[in-house]
Amino acid sequence: MFTRSLILAAAAGASLAAAPALAAPARPNIIVIIADDLGFGDTGAYGSPQVKTPHIDALARDGVRFTQGYVAHPVCAPSRAALMTGRYQTRFGYEFNPVGRDRTGGVSRDEVFLPQVLKDAGYSTGMVGKWHLGQPSGYHPLDRGFDSFFGIMTGATAFMTDFQAGDEEITPPGAEASFGIAEGVRAPPGATEAEKMTLLRKAAPVYRGREAVEEDAYLTDAFTREAISFIDAAAGRPFFLYLAHAAPHTPLQAPARYIARNSDIPDKGQRVYAAMVTALDDGVGRIRAELKARDLEKNTVIVFLSDNGCAGYVGTACSNGPLNGFKGLHLEGGVRVPYIISAPGRFRRGGVEDQVVSSLDIVPTAAALAGATLPKGTDGENLVPYLSGPKPKGFERRLFWRSGPNTAVRDGAWKLWSVNRAEPGESESLSAGITPDGVQARVSAQGVYDMLYNLAEDPGESRNLAATRPEVVARLKAEITEWDRGNVPAQWTSMRQAVRRHEGQMLKIYP
């Protein structure tokens, strides 16, 4: 079992496995690029037959591509909270998406964020993109360790508001609540798409620092532009850049120049989604080109991942193939994501590895690279010894998840997901609906439904072994109970409660 990380001081890192270190410059720059709702199967590096991502693919070739990289939650804000702290979000109550409640609160101010750790070690820190971790004073990115901020505070906004010939957008049935209603926007009947997006951008504006600004560029391009500006301004001292994209989250929108590059895709939803990924991929390429031009490429560590799997409510637009499930579910398609770490000249290159890793590992790994002191209580692990030198022997891993009464654990090859059964009369809904605030997630009188999978033999989670391996179910449940002793109650209720049919069962989900 993974234990909590030790405090890491300057040149010392907790060792997962003995591995000779490569000679490398001290105190590298660190860039974390996180996509929003990017499907496991929606990049070339992870096997997409139609989404073209040459720059992400090149990043993977120059680094290590993990085939079993996980996030700590299958929806946006809790997942990002865990990434920023290196701690399970259930340790501090950020268990469910805020759905607007981050206007008055956010992640506990007792939590130490990664930019605070690196800033104390002398790094310049900048954030570009989607925050979603608290909007009031005290919770703002500039109050959590970032020297600069350009982006959105909310969970979503319009990527564009002025639509021209050749631009495309699509809102699959049931998807609007994933952006418009969630930000308090209800467009009048008959409103055009441009009018709807203008209302959304007004409700969820783009900020520079603490001031709302007008932004005419396609949002993904604007984020890339600002990321490069930060790199230019920070050059000369070690820096940390958190580039938290909002793409390809809804609303699904892309300008003509990206649509044209995906014109071979006949399905409109898939075409617009792929175009959004194209813009993101171009951004990765532009950032790497800037690093190379400034002779920073070999002393910069780039981590690329998604905050969760792609969303089922966008229909066939995206793919988590070959995994089962979508965003919001603790199936592999909800929590296993593209996960690449690249540092030419520092870490080995070209590895495709099945070692289980987590977004929780980013904080301790970055702290070790920076020679920073890691706060007590982190749940991740320092990956530097694993990434340095020839591939070492793999290490054992346990990962846990909790969303209300629903829990999951991955221990070795075994995965257990225990889910609340729906109450009689509840019907399935695949849309991104809104549950009124305050509706508690309690264990159903119908009990829970256990799903046990051997991921080494069944990565698609198609064969439930709970009935034939009760001793494994009992052991894993005991592990969850012990882990859960370190968690706290959720700070607010789930406003995305839904019923899903799975394995012939009606199950209650609490994203």
Side-chain angles (χ1 to χ4, degrees):
M1 175 181 179
F2 256 3
T3 57
R4 291 185 179 182
S5 301
L6 302 175
I7 295 178
L8 302 179
S15 179
L16 297 172
L22 293 174
R27 298 169 60 78
N29 307 307
I30 300 167
I31 300 176
V32 175
I33 304 174
I34 185 167
D36 199 348
D37 294 5
L38 178 66
F40 184 83
D42 282 331
T43 62
Y46 284 84
S48 175
Q50 70 177 11
V51 182
K52 297 173 281 290
T53 54
H55 302 295
I56 294 171
D57 301 350
L59 187 73
R61 289 193 298 272
D62 286 338
V64 175
R65 177 172 70 85
F66 291 98
T67 61
Q68 298 191 86
Y70 288 87
V71 289
H73 199 282
V75 298
C76 306
S79 175
R80 293 169 187 240
L83 186 156
M84 278 285 99
T85 60
R87 284 162 50 82
Y88 288 108
Q89 65 286 345
T90 45
R91 303 296 197 203
F92 46 88
Y94 214 71
E95 190 164 347
F96 304 115
N97 252 350
V99 193
R101 291 166 292 188
D102 51 339
R103 298 186 186 98
T104 56
V107 173
S108 169
R109 287 184 286 185
D110 292 334
E111 294 300 311
V112 179
F113 280 27
L114 177 56
Q116 294 169 295
V117 172
L118 298 180
K119 190 172 184 177
D120 287 346
Y123 273 62
S124 175
T125 59
M127 181 191 166
V128 175
K130 169 177 165 176
W131 182 235
H132 214 193
L133 301 179
Q135 300 182 35
S137 177
Y139 299 94
H140 191 280
L142 298 181
D143 299 321
R144 305 308 292 254
F146 288 107
D147 296 323
S148 64
F149 169 67
F150 179 90
I152 61 173
M153 300 293 291
T154 53
T157 194
F159 287 90
M160 49 202 299
T161 59
D162 183 18
F163 292 85
Q164 303 296 321
D167 299 344
E168 289 191 350
E169 57 79 24
I170 184 171
T171 301
E176 187 171 358
S178 66
F179 56 94
I181 296 174
E183 303 307 334
V185 176
R186 294 184 182 274
T192 65
E193 189 66 18
E195 289 168 340
K196 292 178 183 178
M197 292 303 106
T198 298
L199 288 172
L200 178 57
R201 182 65 70 84
K202 183 177 180 181
V206 176
Y207 288 87
R208 186 178 297 281
R210 301 180 195 272
E211 299 297 323
V213 296
E214 295 292 329
E215 180 53 67
D216 296 328
Y218 183 57
L219 194 61
T220 302
D221 293 344
F223 288 168
T224 297
R225 179 195 72 215
E226 295 296 322
I228 291 172
S229 294
F230 171 79
I231 292 170
D232 291 346
R237 61 180 292 198
F239 65 80
F240 167 58
L241 170 63
Y242 176 47
L243 175 53
H245 275 292
H249 191 290
T250 52
L252 301 184
Q253 304 170 325
R257 61 186 176 278
Y258 294 124
I259 294 294
R261 290 164 60 185
N262 292 276
S263 60
D264 58 317
I265 302 175
D267 181 88
K268 183 177 181 180
Q270 294 175 13
R271 183 171 62 250
V272 177
Y273 177 93
M276 296 177 75
V277 178
T278 296
L280 191 156
D281 182 71
D282 276 7
V284 171
R286 289 180 58 197
I287 287 168
R288 296 194 75 201
E290 185 69 16
L291 293 172
K292 187 173 183 178
R294 290 185 168 274
D295 198 27
L296 297 173
E297 185 180 29
K298 291 187 177 181
N299 196 37
T300 300
V301 177
I302 300 178
V303 182
F304 177 88
L305 74 166
S306 182
D307 60 351
N308 44 251
C310 76
Y313 52 75
V314 300
T316 61
C318 66
S319 172
N320 289 317
L323 307 177
N324 194 355
F326 293 95
K327 173 183 179 178
L329 305 178
H330 293 95
L331 291 166
E332 293 292 281
V335 294
R336 193 193 293 196
V337 298
Y339 195 124
I340 298 165
I341 301 180
S342 182
R346 179 177 291 268
F347 296 150
R348 63 182 174 277
R349 303 171 67 169
V352 180
E353 300 178 12
D354 61 3
Q355 172 62 51
V356 174
V357 294
S358 169
S359 58
L360 295 167
D361 302 334
I362 292 172
V363 167
T365 300
L369 287 166
T373 299
L374 186 65
K376 293 181 180 180
T378 52
D379 290 298
E381 192 62 52
N382 169 23
L383 297 178
V384 171
Y386 180 83
L387 293 164
S388 302
K391 181 180 177 181
K393 182 179 179 181
F395 51 92
E396 292 298 318
R397 190 90 205 233
R398 283 184 192 165
L399 296 173
F400 297 90
W401 295 268
R402 188 186 83 180
S403 292
N406 298 345
T407 58
V409 58
R410 165 99 196 243
D411 185 356
W414 290 111
K415 164 94 170 283
L416 176 68
W417 185 31
S418 299
V419 188
N420 226 17
R421 295 180 187 269
E423 300 291 350
E426 290 189 294
S427 58
E428 184 178 23
S429 173
L430 299 179
S431 65
I434 301 293
T435 305
D437 191 11
V439 177
Q440 295 293 329
R442 296 187 174 92
V443 176
S444 169
Q446 313 305 311
V448 300
Y449 181 67
D450 294 325
M451 288 157 279
L452 178 70
Y453 304 106
N454 184 323
L455 296 179
E457 301 173 355
D458 180 26
E461 296 172 302
S462 61
R463 299 187 297 276
N464 184 358
L465 304 177
T468 58
R469 299 300 302 270
E471 78 286 359
V472 178
V473 172
R475 174 173 63 83
L476 296 179
K477 286 197 171 190
E479 291 177 3
I480 291 171
T481 298
E482 180 61 30
W483 166 78
D484 200 34
R485 298 182 197 280
N487 295 327
V488 301
Q491 69 186 68
W492 44 52
T493 60
S494 170
M495 291 179 64
R496 297 287 194 187
Q497 300 180 28
V499 174
R500 300 284 189 268
R501 182 182 296 276
H502 187 65
E503 296 187 354
Q505 306 292 316
M506 298 295 280
L507 306 176
K508 194 66 175 285
I509 307 300
Y510 306 91

